[in-house]
Amino acid sequence: LSQEGEDLSIYTEDQLNAIVQPFDILTQYHNHAAKQAMSLGDLRRATGTLRYLQNQQTQTSGESTPESCVVCLRTLDGECSVLKCGHRFHQKPCFDQILRRSCGRFVHCPMKCQQTTTKDDIMVSTNLSTNDGSRTNRQIKGSYGTKVTRIVSDILSMRDKGEKGVVFSQWHDMLEIVDTALQENGVVTIR
């Protein structure tokens, strides 16, 4: 904190950056309070995600009994809604019923967990990834992720039929990735 009449010319530039003027104290306080509130919100969201992932790991680490919905007691399959506490429910009709009983923007777990979840923090888990369109019948050189692999596979199929194509993207980086993947798989490209 700078004192009235203090000679600041004896300090280095780094030291001057650390000195707070008396008229800046209130502004600095509010800035730090806002940053703290944002960080605590991020920490709560990350903690909920961690709890969910830990529950997922526990379920997949060798248990042979399938998980069941705590509302209807049927086996969970397909898409499920997941609260911050890690409990999962069928989206329809079980989670719809939970939402109807919720008041305001918070959803309370029917298992009486202490953790409350906002409607924006509800996650969705699914085991329906076997036919989502990301699988290809063709072997692609390189590892570029499911989207790029699918694009390359489709373009290779077009090339086999003697067709040509144009690839558009809003992102320049994506075009570079697709260009590299296509060249690695023997497709001539022009930009």
Side-chain angles (χ1 to χ4, degrees):
L1 181 63
S2 160
Q3 301 297 323
E4 187 176 326
E6 182 179 2
D7 181 22
L8 300 178
S9 64
I10 60 172
Y11 296 113
T12 66
E13 188 175 334
D14 290 336
Q15 290 171 330
L16 286 172
N17 288 333
I19 294 175
V20 177
Q21 299 295 328
F23 56 85
D24 282 338
I25 291 175
L26 190 60
T27 304
Q28 293 286 338
Y29 173 79
H30 289 298
N31 284 342
H32 289 296
K35 288 178 184 177
Q36 181 184 20
M38 295 289 289
S39 297
L40 287 173
D42 291 342
L43 178 63
R44 279 192 296 274
R45 280 188 290 280
T47 303
T49 303
L50 175 63
R51 189 175 295 112
Y52 164 71
L53 292 172
Q54 287 173 334
N55 284 344
Q56 288 293 95
Q57 181 182 14
T58 302
Q59 293 168 9
T60 59
S61 65
E63 287 185 19
S64 59
T65 58
E67 184 182 9
S68 60
C69 175
V70 296
V71 175
C72 67
L73 302 177
R74 291 181 300 161
T75 302
L76 286 170
D77 57 345
E79 290 189 351
C80 303
S81 297
V82 183
L83 301 181
K84 276 187 175 181
C85 60
H87 287 115
R88 299 170 19 152
F89 312 93
H90 290 108
Q91 281 193 315
K92 298 201 183 296
C94 302
F95 195 68
D96 291 340
Q97 180 180 355
I98 294 170
L99 284 176
R100 280 194 301 274
R101 292 183 179 179
S102 299
C103 55
R105 55 179 273 227
F106 293 102
V107 178
H108 298 282
C109 179
M111 298 300 292
K112 305 293 184 197
C113 294
Q114 296 297 321
Q115 181 79 33
T116 57
T117 306
T118 63
K119 292 181 180 178
D120 294 334
D121 290 335
I122 297 168
M123 296 176 270
V124 176
S125 72
T126 183
N127 59 2
L128 300 177
S129 62
T130 56
N131 193 14
D132 62 356
S134 64
R135 296 185 186 267
T136 60
N137 295 330
R138 177 184 291 268
Q139 202 58 10
I140 304 298
K141 294 179 188 172
S143 176
Y144 296 98
T146 57
K147 292 178 183 177
V148 175
T149 300
R150 182 60 190 248
I151 290 171
V152 172
S153 174
D154 290 347
I155 291 173
L156 288 173
S157 297
M158 288 172 51
R159 183 188 68 179
D160 292 346
K161 296 176 186 175
E163 298 174 355
K164 296 180 181 181
V166 179
V167 177
F168 292 94
S169 177
Q170 182 177 355
W171 298 280
H172 181 71
D173 292 344
M174 180 55 109
L175 285 174
E176 288 180 8
I177 293 169
V178 171
D179 187 38
T180 303
L182 288 170
Q183 289 178 9
E184 186 176 344
N185 285 279
V187 176
V188 178
T189 62
I190 299 172
R191 288 184 77 181

